[in-house]
């Protein structure tokens, strides 16, 4: 590692900054990182059940996205956030924080159970569809609300994290534990990837339906690593044979200039520039993979061109006033994608820090491979930092290697410095910070993923690297095929999952006449887990897509699952008001003899209801 003063010198040479100013900045940055590291780690632990102090009520091993319960309500566990958080916690464990092992075991337990929870995406048995559910209630029960589902990144991300820990156990001779306890969870997730990688789903931002670079990249890694682990355990992995096709598909996101983040179904207002393409390579990072590997590592010339294109998009002061006047060789505040309107579209901590991590990862790859190769594709990225850069290969003996490496490190640090600047004194990181004055934190407070991104960034910054996973000499099939392997699924009972069987389901169409104002919503609640077991928070939402003034129709075809031995459904309709006012719930219980259920996954509607809301209408709270 070059010393701080060397870096300052390199910065001086290339950018003409005052050396003393960069030295002071560098010292302050080190101080910030030192202070923030324990705060961020504790921030993560505080949000994990059952003992996390900020998330009372959270289930064992369940990672709550944020303690925030309103505006926005993030008091749920997302499979993606949880897997990415544990990727970093397992890294921290492997790098020496042995105290984390009980928590990792809680995660295993929690995920084994979640896999079996029937939900609006489906069930574990017989077809694995339930694994695509993006989020669950904090206690691990199903979430019935409308949502962008399924999301297909959850299973591969979870598999990657569990494999990371399993590989460690195998290296310690604990093969039996891996095979009997953890592998069954991983096997379900891999089966899901093999079966559905070529089916559409929602992106990691839960907004667009289609195919997503981030998801595809995670899917590929999971299948490759899954195959390696299966082999070590002496077990088959049928789904893993899909890996070459997924890798083939991964190449198609490159459009000649940058990586198009999503192939989107339906109309949309997206240009394709998206942080998804910067976060994906962090998940796929293998410091030993060559930079031209089709796995698209952070140091790949196309990915560097893409990185520059992504960052430059946010340099526009009309888009992000916060970045106004920042020179081209300095880090800026970064958000999800330029068209974002969520909380008006602001920079995110995890993306700004993720971009720093991205650059540290690229540096690590150059160090391992013994040089930097600049191609015409990546040249503009390098020229921003080092105007004298030119196409060529610069080995470790070449002075340009050290100059460029130092400049990229300084560039990476400058993204961390941006997050430093906008993190409050107490170190608490929300999801976003305002792109306009006063640049203060906004949206979910204490976001677990923000804290995890800090810890993960710092691992790479300190040179703590993940294990290698890319097979040597991996090549692409000559033609891509959108294939699929039908999976088999089973509850991971030895890890703590209940021994579920194929659920028995009766599809019932509920149709309700209820005049509503804009912002009011209708639900069914009742004595079935599908209807929230009388809990309004998990009641089943009706849709208003066929609502007219003449026929104010709310409806849903609900796949009812009844408690063992119960065949009479008792239910009520409930109006949810727009500003958190009391719900308006019908007084009288309604009754339905539930038609005999079927186990074949058929969508046939077995009964219909056509009813009218009994009781008062709602009124807007005017919020
Ligand atoms: C809309 C946001 O854009 C999306 O990313 C988020 O997950 C949901 N709302 C829920 O908060
Ligand atoms: C919104 C983000 O878009 C999504 O990626 C995340 O899973 C949830 N918030 C929870 O943090």
């Amino acid at each position: 590692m070059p010393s701080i003063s060397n870096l300052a010198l390199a910065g001086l040479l290339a950018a003409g900054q005052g050396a003393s100013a960069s030295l002071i900045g560098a010292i302050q940055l080190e101080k910030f990182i030192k202070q923030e590291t324990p705060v961020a780690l504790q921030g993560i632990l505080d949000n994990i059940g059952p003992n996390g102090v900020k998330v009372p009520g959270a289930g064992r091993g369940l990672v709550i996205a944020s303690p925030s319960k309103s505006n926005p309500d993030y008091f749920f566990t997302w499979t993606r956030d949880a897997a990415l958080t544990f990727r970093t916690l397992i890294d921290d464990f492997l790098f020496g924080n042995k105290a984390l092992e009980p928590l990792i075991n809680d995660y295993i337990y929690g995920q084994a159970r979640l896999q079996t929870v029937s939900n609006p995406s489906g069930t574990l048995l017989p077809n694995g569809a339930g694994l695509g559910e993006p989020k669950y209630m904090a206690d691990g029960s199903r979430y019935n609300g409308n949502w962008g589902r399924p999301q297909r990144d959850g299973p591969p991300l979870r598999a990657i994290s569990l494999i990371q820990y399993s590989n460690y156990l195998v290296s310690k001779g604990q093969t039996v534990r891996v095979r009997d306890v953890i592998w069954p969870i991983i096997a379900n997730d891999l089966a899901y990837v093999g079966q559905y990688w070529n089916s559409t789903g929602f992106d990691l931002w839960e907004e667009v339906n289609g195919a997503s670079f981030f998801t595809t990249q995670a899917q590929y890694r999971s299948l490759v690593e899954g195959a390696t682990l299966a082999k070590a355990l002496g077990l088959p992995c049928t789904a893993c044979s899909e890996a070459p096709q997924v890798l083939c598909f991964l190449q198609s996101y490159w459009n000649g200039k940058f990586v198009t983040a999503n192939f989107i179904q339906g109309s949309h207002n997206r240009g394709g520039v998206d942080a998804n393409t910067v976060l994906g390579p962090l998940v796929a990072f293998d410091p030993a993979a060559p930079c031209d590997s089709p796995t698209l590592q952070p140091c790949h010339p196309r990915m560097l061109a893409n990185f520059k294109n992504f960052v430059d998009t946010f340099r526009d002061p009309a888009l992000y006033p916060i970045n106004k006047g920042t020179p081209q060789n300095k880090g800026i505040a970064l958000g999800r994608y330029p068209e974002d309107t969520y909380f008006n579209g602001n920079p995110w901590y995890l993306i700004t820090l993720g971009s720093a991590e991205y650059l540290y990862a690229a540096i690590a790859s150059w160090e391992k491979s013994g040089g930097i190769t600049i191609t015409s594709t990546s040249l503009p990225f390098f020229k921003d930092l080092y105007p004298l850069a030119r196409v060529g290969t610069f080995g470790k003996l070449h002075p340009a290697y050290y100059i460029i490496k130092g400049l990229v490190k300084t560039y990476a640090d400058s993204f961390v410095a941006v997050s430093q600047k906008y993190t409050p004194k107490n170190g608490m990181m929300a999801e976003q910070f305002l792109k306009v004055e006063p640049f203060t934190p906004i949206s979910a407070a204490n976001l677990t993923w923000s804290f995890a991104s800090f810890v993960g960034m710092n691992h790479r910054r300190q040179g703590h690297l993940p294990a290698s996973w890319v097979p040597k000499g991996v090549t692409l099939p000559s033609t891509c095929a959108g294939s699929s392997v039908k999976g088999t699924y089973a509850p991971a009972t030895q890890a703590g999952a209940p021994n579920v069987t194929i659920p028995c389901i009766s599809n019932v169409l509920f149709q309700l006449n209820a005049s509503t104002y804009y912002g009011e919503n209708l639900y069914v609640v009742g004595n079935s887990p599908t209807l929230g077991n009388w809990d309004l928070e998990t009641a089943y939402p009706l849709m208003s897509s066929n609502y007219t003034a003449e026929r104010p129709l709310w409806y849903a075809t609900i796949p009812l699952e009844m408690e063992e031995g119960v065949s009479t459904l008792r239910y009520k309709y409930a109006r949810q008001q727009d500003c958190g006012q009391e719900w308006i719930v019908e007084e009288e219980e309604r009754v339905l003899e539930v038609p005999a259920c079927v186990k074949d996954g058929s969508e046939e509607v077995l009964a219909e209801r056509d009813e009218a809301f009994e009781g008062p209408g709602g009124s807007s709270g005017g919020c």
Side-chain angles (χ1 to χ4, degrees), residues 455-523:
V455 176
M457 172 285 296
N458 197 31
H459 286 150
R460 301 298 174 255
R461 186 172 189 272
Q462 297 194 316
H464 292 316
L465 302 177
S468 174
W469 65 273
V470 175
K472 295 248 164 343
V474 58
T475 53
L476 296 169
S478 49
T479 53
C480 294
S483 48
S484 154
V485 171
K486 197 168 182 308
T488 51
Y489 304 87
T493 49
Q494 295 215 36
N499 195 4
V500 293
T501 52
I502 298 179
C504 201
I505 296 212
S506 316
N507 288 313
V508 176
L509 171 62
F510 290 83
Q511 300 167 101
L512 177 71
N513 251 12
S515 295
T516 46
Y517 63 88
Y518 184 80
E520 185 180 30
N521 285 302
L522 274 150
Y523 291 77

Side-chain angles (χ1 to χ4, degrees), residues 65-68 70-74 342-343 349 429-432 441-447 450:
S66 151
S68 170
S70 65
N71 195 31
D73 182 359
Y74 275 25
Y342 185 45
F343 283 86
Y349 291 97
M429 284 182 181
E431 180 184 74
Q432 314 178 21
I442 180 152
S443 185
N446 300 323
L447 188 82
S450 294

Side-chain angles (χ1 to χ4, degrees), residues 144 510-512 522-526 528 530-536 538-542 555-556 558 560 569-575 583 586 590 611:
N144 277 333
F510 290 83
Q511 300 167 101
L512 177 71
L522 274 150
Y523 291 77
V524 198
V525 66
S528 145
T530 322
L531 303 189
N533 275 332
W534 290 116
D535 180 356
L536 284 170
T538 47
Y540 202 100
L542 299 176
Y555 72 99
I558 304 184
L560 277 179
L569 178 72
R570 304 181 175 282
Y571 65 101
K572 294 177 178 185
Y573 293 107
R575 293 173 182 266
W583 290 67
E586 291 182 320
R590 298 172 182 270
E611 299 169 309

Side-chain angles (χ1 to χ4, degrees), residues 324-365:
K324 196 169 162 221
T326 314
Q328 195 69 18
N329 65 347
K330 276 208 129 185
I332 54 170
L334 296 167
R336 301 193 295 181
Y337 52 91
E339 304 86 356
D340 197 356
T341 58
Y342 185 45
F343 283 86
N344 282 331
N346 295 292
W348 285 42
Y349 291 97
L350 73 94
I351 296 166
T352 306
L353 290 164
S355 297
E357 178 179 337
Y358 183 100
L359 296 168
Y360 298 129
I363 294 172
S365 300

